[in-house]
Structures are given as structure tokens and as C-alpha cells.
Amino acid sequence: MKTSVREVRGVSILDLKGKITIGSGDVQLRETINKLVEDGRKNILINMQEVTTIDSSGIGELVGCYTSVTNKGGKLKLLHLPPKISDVLTVTQLITVFDVYESESEAVASFAG
Amino acid sequence: MKTSVREVRGVSILDLKGKITIGSGDVQLRETINKLVEDGRKNILINMQEVTTIDSSGIGELVGCYTSVTNKGGKLKLLHLPPKISDVLTVTQLITVFDVYESESEAVASFAG
Amino acid sequence: MSASKPSVDAGPVRMSLSSRFENIEMAQHLCGKLLEGREVPEETKHWILMALREGLANAIKHGNSQNLEKRVHVEMRVEQDTLEIRIRDEGSGFDPERVSDPLAPENRLKTSGRGIFYMKTFMDDVRFDRYKGGGMEIVLTKSLNAGKE
Amino acid sequence: MSASKPSVDAGPVRMSLSSRFENIEMAQHLCGKLLEGREVPEETKHWILMALREGLANAIKHGNSQNLEKRVHVEMRVEQDTLEIRIRDEGSGFDPERVSDPLAPENRLKTSGRGIFYMKTFMDDVRFDRYKGGGMEIVLTKSLNAGKE
Ligand SMILES: Nc1ncnc2c1ncn2[C@@H]1O[C@H](COP(=O)(O)OP(=O)(O)O)[C@@H](O)[C@H]1O
Ligand SMILES: Nc1ncnc2c1ncn2[C@@H]1O[C@H](COP(=O)(O)OP(=O)(O)O)[C@@H](O)[C@H]1O
């Protein structure tokens, strides 16, 4: 997995690319989010558009990130969820846990509220 | 493998497409050539341009076809040999057995001689 | 020429892998090849490969504890339009009855515990057997002409 | 993301197939996957897959006589940038010394007898062993960084 972070109007947008699967992207995702949290970032938006595969470990990490950001008083939201990843979140009743956006500007604006 | 036959100025051009490998294209090649020979065709040009793979069985069939056409007083030549198939014929010293052409019109003309 | 059409069943394909997560893709790749030319919808194929991934990850992680000396054994076959995948590890097995439900409210936000649930969701059937001489064998089946999703 | 880079050797991959020529492609497919991400020139890969095809065809045809009850066993591994492929059948073996030379003038136009020659040409080394309990095992090796061709 490749990760890169952009700052847009007070929101840290994390662009992910590739696989979030056991032994490859899963730990990397956690470490990237932990670093953002340590740096004091409270508004985090994960852009999933270019995530090609996710498995239960990847989903687990996503949930873990959500929890750790929320526990620090921050917000973690998702952008551009590919249909199959949306399915995977849906069947485990996680889709309602996350705020999911289709438009980056709407997503960024939502943090201001 | 797909085969189709065209007649161009007294020459039967056999266009081959796909794999000539054990259990798939090999027997089919022999049967197609046998049919042309039975139909009294003496000038046969095999267009190899779209042959993607060949193995030792395919090479064996090609040699077998050469022999059976020659034995009936006919000629069998090759057109548009892909580089890797040319290599395979070369290492088993078969490349000199076959007349090989890069141009269809030259190949067709050569049968008139 | 396109892939040779598997008009006849090609017989079971067996493979074994050392216990590395990187090897999961090899088995997925082979399974993809086995399904090739069978007119399996892309969607169905995707979920099958995800279930396979989950089964292999469990065998490598929980079964073999990533011990490189231990292997994961996979058998795949298509018979009468049904895919059967068997995944066996060399671990000490477990009781599938005692696996907790990832949909229970208290588990919803856990960071693990969804693999078996995904396998069951995406395949028609998931069976668990203790293999003689230790290790767990899971058997995943999926009909290839009637999609669940 | 591109394929996970195999920085470490992934351990041997083993597979077994029933004795059908259609199954040759499965093993080729898996071998292709094993070489993925290793910067093996396309050319080298092509010749490796051809040698593998020849070895499997012999195991299926001459070794197992296309008997569907018999299986072909394949093991592939990359260690120190060298690919090793082992192909074993359940036949009665043969004496590689007694195989005739396809380049001899009297054999040049034969319709068979080139498979072993191609394997030897395209790989660095081809070894033949009789496997305990019958069957032949051939071991093909090829260095992946120094091309022969
Ligand atoms: N092959 C296996 N060998 C031993 N235990 C297993 C195996 N597969 C699953 N388990 C047990 O079942 C539990 C649930 O597995 P799963 O639903 O895949 O979630 P996770 O792998 O995230 O824990 C695992 O935590 C483990 O205790
Ligand atoms: N696995 C095998 N088991 C038994 N005999 C074999 C095996 N592989 C090769 N042979 C023998 O070696 C001969 C030469 O093989 P090869 O060079 O591949 O040419 P071909 O397969 O076209 O005959 C075969 O004809 C067969 O007698």
C-alpha cells in the first residue's frame, strides 16, 4: 500500500493506494493514522478511491483507527468508498459507524460543523 | 487453435491463430493439412503470425506436415514466423528445412517457380 | 487463442505453501486460473477469492502461527459447477462453535474476529473439520452458476 | 499497488495436478506468479515456462500415460536468485541416457523427441532422478539474473 497525506482546510486527507491486507497494508495504515494523531491532527479523512483490495485484517485496522481517533476527541471519515469495500463494511454492520462521502469538498466541509 | 484457409493464386494459405501445443492445436494442425492434401492441394503456405505458443508437440506436427506434403509431391512453406517460434525451430536445426517468408506476396510467388 | 475451455472437470488441483502471508496471492492466482473460461461473473470470483484469502490468513496466522516450517495445504476442484476449496493447516485446531459473533454489539468495533463471518457470507457453505493428526481443515463451497450476491 | 516484492524467498510452492494436458497451464500460471516482481526478463520467463510445459507434458504423457488416477507433482522455489522446478510423475521411469539425439540427421525430421532437448536448451540444468517407489523426477534449474539467451 502507498499512503500520502494532504492538508486541506484543517483536514488531513490520507490518500491510500493498493491493498490493505494482512501482512501488507494493515499495519501501515495503523502507523500512519497513529502518527497523524500524535501530531495533533483531529480531522482525518481517508480517501479509499484507489484501494484495490481489503480483507478482514484491513477492516479491523480501519475500525481500530476509527476508535483511536475518536478516543482522542478527533473525527475519522471515509471518502470515495469503492462498491466492493462498501459491501464488506455493510455485511459486518460497520457502514453506519463511518461517515462516508462521495465528494471531497463536502467531506472537508463536514468537519467544520 | 483456430484455423482458416484462403486460396491465393493457386496457393492454399492456412492462417493459424492461438496455441499449437500438446492436446490442443497439434492434432488439429495435422488434420487440417491432411485434408488439404487429400483435396489435391500441392502448394501450402502456413501463416504463423498469430500463433502465440508452440511446444515440442507442435513443432513435431509441423515437421510431420512438411513430410507428408513433400511426400505427395507438394510444397509446404512458412510465413510470418514470430521470433520465439523461429528460435525454437533454429535450436533444433529445423529452420533450414522450411522455406520461410516475411511477405505474403513473395511467398505466394515463390510457389510458381 | 483464449484459455482452453474446461469442458471436462480438470480434477483436483492441490498445492501447499509455506506459512507466509505473501503466499496467499499464489493460491488466489491459481484459483483464478481454475475459474477461467467458466463464465463465472467477475463479482462472484471476487468474493470467492476474498473468502479464500480469509481462510488462508487464518491457517497461516492462527493455525500455523506463521511458523515457516509448517505448511498450508490447499485443494481446489470444480465438479458439477460447484467449486470446492479445502484449506488445511498444521496447527492445533479450534472449536468453531466458540468463535464470537462479530455482529454482536459488544464486538462490532473490535479490530478482529470477522474472517470466518466473511467466508460464510461470501460462500454457500463453510465446513470445519479437525484433521487427523492435528490441524484444522476448512471446506468452502460455492455454486458457480447461481450467485448468492 | 503492484505485486508485493518478494524480498524474502517465499518458500517452496508445491502443487499436484491430475494427468491432463489442460492442467499444464495451471502450473505455468503459478510459476509466472512466483517470478512476478523479480525483474526476470520477459524472454527468460518465456523460456522457463516453455521448459516447464515440456516437463509436464512428458510427465502426463510418458510418465502417467494420461491416467487420470495418477498425479503430477510439481515443486517450485526461488533461492538465491535461482529458480528450481521439480516435476515428478507416478509412472515407471526411463533411462535418460537412452533418449535419442534430435539433432542427429536421421532424427531431424521425426515428429517427436525434442522435449528434453528444449528443456536442456532453455534451462541452465536438467537433472533426472528415479523417485523412490517408482516414477521419474526431473529437476530444472535456471539462474534468474544471468540470462543464457
Ligand atoms: N485455522 C485456525 N486454527 C486455529 N484457530 C483458528 C483458525 N481459524 C480461526 N481460528 C480461531 O477463530 C477465531 C476467529 O477467526 P476469524 O473470524 O477469522 O477472525 P480473526 O482471524 O480476525 O480473529 C480466531 O481468532 C482464532 O482463534
Ligand atoms: N516422465 C517420463 N516418463 C517416462 N518416459 C519419459 C518421460 N519423459 C521422457 N520420457 C521418454 O523420453 C523420450 C524423449 O522425450 P522427449 O525428448 O520429451 O520427446 P517426446 O516426448 O516428443 O518423445 C520419450 O519418448 C519417452 O520415451
Side-chain angles (χ1 to χ4, degrees):
Chain A
M1 188 178 62
K2 272 188 194 137
T3 60
S4 64
V5 182
R6 297 177 279 142
E7 292 292 325
V8 178
R9 274 171 281 139
V11 177
S12 302
I13 304 184
L14 178 58
D15 295 302
L16 301 183
K17 208 177 153 126
K19 291 180 287 197
I20 316 179
T21 53
I22 192 160
S24 63
D26 55 349
V27 177
Q28 209 180 331
L29 173 61
R30 189 196 322 165
E31 287 169 354
T32 310
I33 294 287
N34 282 350
K35 203 176 163 308
L36 289 173
V37 170
E38 278 165 29
D39 289 353
R41 303 291 169 195
K42 296 247 177 272
N43 299 331
I44 300 175
L45 179 64
I46 304 185
N47 176 10
M48 306 279 289
Q49 182 148 37
E50 300 204 51
V51 176
T52 53
T53 319
I54 199 161
D55 64 3
S56 67
S57 293
I59 295 290
E61 287 304 333
L62 214 51
V63 173
C65 291
Y66 173 83
T67 305
S68 58
V69 172
T70 310
N71 285 349
K72 297 269 178 185
K75 286 179 195 160
L76 184 143
K77 305 185 179 195
L78 303 180
L79 177 64
H80 297 318
L81 215 50
K84 291 204 179 83
I85 299 183
S86 169
D87 290 351
V88 161
L89 286 171
T90 302
V91 296
T92 37
Q93 300 181 6
L94 288 167
I95 196 81
T96 51
V97 168
F98 293 97
D99 260 2
V100 182
Y101 292 84
E102 268 322 299
S103 138
E104 183 173 312
S105 54
E106 271 178 40
V108 169
S110 77
F111 283 93
Chain B
M1 188 177 63
K2 273 188 193 136
T3 61
S4 65
V5 182
R6 298 176 280 141
E7 292 292 325
V8 177
R9 276 172 279 139
V11 177
S12 303
I13 304 182
L14 177 58
D15 296 302
L16 300 183
K17 208 177 152 127
K19 291 179 286 196
I20 317 180
T21 52
I22 194 160
S24 64
D26 56 349
V27 177
Q28 207 180 333
L29 172 62
R30 188 197 321 164
E31 287 170 353
T32 311
I33 295 287
N34 283 349
K35 201 173 166 310
L36 288 172
V37 171
E38 277 165 29
D39 291 353
R41 304 290 171 197
K42 297 248 179 271
N43 299 330
I44 300 175
L45 180 63
I46 305 185
N47 176 10
M48 306 279 288
Q49 183 148 37
E50 300 204 51
V51 175
T52 53
T53 319
I54 199 160
D55 64 4
S56 67
S57 293
I59 295 291
E61 288 302 333
L62 214 51
V63 173
C65 291
Y66 173 82
T67 305
S68 58
V69 171
T70 309
N71 285 349
K72 298 270 179 184
K75 287 178 194 156
L76 184 142
K77 304 185 178 194
L78 302 179
L79 177 64
H80 297 318
L81 216 50
K84 291 202 179 88
I85 299 183
S86 171
D87 290 350
V88 162
L89 286 170
T90 302
V91 296
T92 38
Q93 301 181 4
L94 288 166
I95 195 83
T96 52
V97 168
F98 293 97
D99 261 2
V100 182
Y101 292 86
E102 268 322 299
S103 138
E104 182 173 313
S105 54
E106 270 179 40
V108 168
S110 77
F111 283 92
Chain C
M1 197 70 306
S2 69
S4 51
K5 281 273 157 30
S7 51
V8 287
D9 296 328
V13 182
R14 300 197 187 105
M15 76 187 300
S16 79
L17 299 161
S18 58
S19 301
R20 288 184 202 276
F21 297 126
E22 292 87 341
N23 284 336
I24 291 176
E25 278 184 32
M26 298 248 220
Q28 287 185 309
H29 201 66
L30 195 64
C31 185
K33 183 73 187 170
L34 187 71
L35 298 177
E36 205 180 271
R38 287 187 190 273
E39 297 180 11
V40 182
E42 206 41 55
E43 191 89 339
T44 307
K45 202 161 137 179
H46 177 89
W47 298 124
I48 289 171
L49 295 185
M50 174 160 182
L52 173 59
R53 168 178 282 283
E54 297 294 338
L56 291 168
N58 280 355
I60 293 170
K61 184 177 181 180
H62 304 301
N64 292 350
S65 309
Q66 297 184 63
N67 177 344
L68 296 179
E69 302 292 306
K70 295 187 174 180
R71 299 186 66 81
V72 177
H73 307 264
V74 187
E75 180 179 306
M76 307 188 238
R77 69 172 84 206
V78 178
E79 259 166 37
Q80 290 155 356
D81 276 323
T82 298
L83 170 70
E84 183 189 274
I85 301 175
R86 288 172 177 264
I87 303 170
R88 178 167 66 83
D89 60 55
E90 300 177 352
S92 42
F94 74 110
D95 182 354
E97 300 290 311
R98 302 185 58 180
V99 167
S100 55
D101 175 10
L103 303 188
E106 68 276 19
N107 297 329
R108 203 80 61 78
L109 289 182
K110 284 211 173 141
T111 58
S112 65
R114 297 179 186 84
I116 293 172
F117 180 85
Y118 283 134
M119 286 188 258
K120 288 183 173 166
T121 304
F122 297 132
M123 301 299 277
D124 295 341
D125 188 45
V126 180
R127 239 167 50 224
F128 299 86
D129 296 301
R130 273 175 200 272
Y131 197 79
K132 50 184 185 297
M136 206 66 193
E137 181 173 67
I138 67 168
V139 185
L140 310 172
T141 52
K142 177 90 176 172
S143 162
L144 298 178
N145 41 32
K148 232 183 164 180
E149 62 283 334
Chain D
M1 195 75 303
S2 70
S4 50
K5 281 275 160 27
S7 50
V8 288
D9 297 328
V13 182
R14 301 197 185 103
M15 76 186 300
S16 79
L17 299 160
S18 58
S19 299
R20 291 182 201 275
F21 297 127
E22 291 87 342
N23 283 337
I24 290 176
E25 279 183 31
M26 298 248 221
Q28 287 186 308
H29 201 66
L30 195 63
C31 186
K33 183 74 188 171
L34 187 70
L35 298 177
E36 206 180 272
R38 285 187 193 274
E39 297 178 14
V40 182
E42 206 41 54
E43 192 88 342
T44 306
K45 201 161 138 178
H46 178 89
W47 299 124
I48 289 171
L49 295 186
M50 175 161 179
L52 173 59
R53 168 178 281 284
E54 297 294 338
L56 292 168
N58 280 356
I60 293 170
K61 184 178 181 179
H62 303 301
N64 291 351
S65 309
Q66 296 184 64
N67 177 344
L68 296 180
E69 302 293 306
K70 294 186 173 178
R71 299 184 66 81
V72 177
H73 307 265
V74 188
E75 181 178 305
M76 307 186 240
R77 69 171 86 206
V78 177
E79 259 166 36
Q80 288 153 358
D81 275 323
T82 298
L83 171 70
E84 183 190 275
I85 301 175
R86 291 173 176 262
I87 302 170
R88 178 167 65 84
D89 60 54
E90 299 176 353
S92 42
F94 74 109
D95 182 355
E97 300 290 311
R98 302 184 61 181
V99 167
S100 54
D101 175 9
L103 302 188
E106 69 275 19
N107 296 330
R108 202 82 59 78
L109 290 181
K110 285 213 172 138
T111 57
S112 65
R114 296 180 186 84
I116 293 172
F117 180 85
Y118 283 134
M119 285 188 259
K120 288 182 174 167
T121 303
F122 298 132
M123 301 297 280
D124 295 340
D125 188 45
V126 181
R127 238 167 51 223
F128 298 86
D129 296 301
R130 273 174 199 275
Y131 198 78
K132 52 185 184 296
M136 206 67 193
E137 180 173 68
I138 67 170
V139 185
L140 311 172
T141 52
K142 177 93 177 169
S143 161
L144 298 179
N145 41 32
K148 234 182 162 180
E149 63 283 333

